[in-house]
Amino acid sequence: MSPGKVLESPAILIADDDQTFLHTLATSLRKRGLNPVTADTIIKATALQQKHQPASAVVDLKIGSESGLRLIPLLLSFNPNIEIIVLTGYASIATAVSAIKLGAKDYLCKPVDTLQILSALNISKIPPDNEQCPVIPETRMPVYQLEWEYLQKVLLEHNGNISAAARSLGMHRRTLQRKLNKRSGSR
């Protein structure tokens, strides 16, 4: 190592489509001497995983129109030792169990503050005495997003089989397909 070169702390990947959340959490982590990298899509998150090889990741349950649960096995395939925390604005036992079974270390409900995330990741960087820990802004989840998460949970329970999920939900397969396509196209 050359003199004067500063070792950078391992990267922490933050994957969430909420730009305010990404900015707030990344700023808070940087103030603590950590190295956050942010992505607002699953594709960007996997690209950052390859480039930065983060030691930990904070993944939202819903990223754009996709389930953040899809990202867990992708991250683990690059680094089996990565510590993944899943965040959600609407927690359910089913999605928590799914996240843990897929390999997440923890599952936290929003709103969450930086210290809660660091604690879940067992990172002991604390803020300077004069800095208060910002609480990540709370946003109430709209009904359509709650419905989307529930549909994703049922789809996951049926291994992505739309016909089986639709039967379980008591709706026609085309109705479920339309709901999924409508949500994927909107944003």
Side-chain angles (χ1 to χ4, degrees):
M1 185 167 82
S2 61
K5 186 174 181 181
V6 177
L7 286 177
E8 200 171 87
S9 62
I12 297 175
L13 174 65
I14 308 166
D16 196 309
D17 62 341
D18 180 338
Q19 295 299 320
T20 303
F21 177 84
L22 281 176
H23 177 73
T24 304
L25 182 57
T27 300
S28 184
L29 292 174
R30 268 188 217 96
K31 286 180 179 179
R32 289 165 175 76
L34 298 169
N35 180 24
V37 291
T38 62
D40 59 3
T41 67
I42 288 177
I43 292 170
K44 288 179 186 175
T46 55
L48 288 172
Q49 166 66 30
Q50 292 173 358
K51 182 178 179 182
H52 296 280
Q53 301 171 351
S56 52
V58 177
V59 177
D60 192 29
L61 184 62
K62 184 182 171 310
I63 303 171
S65 63
E66 297 185 84
S67 171
L69 296 178
R70 275 196 50 228
L71 189 54
I72 296 171
L74 295 171
L75 295 175
L76 289 168
S77 70
F78 290 110
N79 176 4
N81 297 318
I82 190 169
E83 292 190 348
I84 302 169
I85 303 299
V86 175
L87 301 180
T88 184
Y90 178 75
S92 74
I93 293 171
T95 54
V97 169
S98 295
I100 301 302
K101 281 184 177 178
L102 288 169
K105 179 180 179 192
D106 210 338
Y107 182 93
L108 303 175
C109 292
K110 292 179 180 176
V112 62
D113 67 37
T114 306
L115 289 182
Q116 289 171 301
I117 292 170
L118 292 175
S119 176
L121 292 171
N122 290 323
I123 297 174
S124 61
K125 301 274 182 166
I126 56 171
D129 291 337
N130 61 352
E131 181 190 346
Q132 293 187 354
C133 295
V135 172
I136 307 304
E138 177 180 4
T139 54
R140 297 219 180 241
M141 190 175 295
V143 172
Y144 67 83
Q145 191 169 343
L146 293 173
E147 178 188 44
W148 186 91
E149 283 197 18
Y150 183 70
L151 294 176
Q152 291 299 313
K153 175 186 88 73
V154 173
L155 263 175
L156 188 64
E157 290 170 356
H158 292 91
N159 298 316
N161 183 322
I162 291 179
S163 295
R167 278 191 300 275
S168 173
L169 291 164
M171 67 174 61
H172 194 278
R173 180 190 58 76
R174 286 188 198 146
T175 303
L176 176 57
Q177 187 70 50
R178 269 195 306 275
K179 286 180 177 285
L180 294 169
N181 288 339
K182 181 181 177 185
R183 183 66 193 129
S184 294
S186 66
R187 274 248 358 130

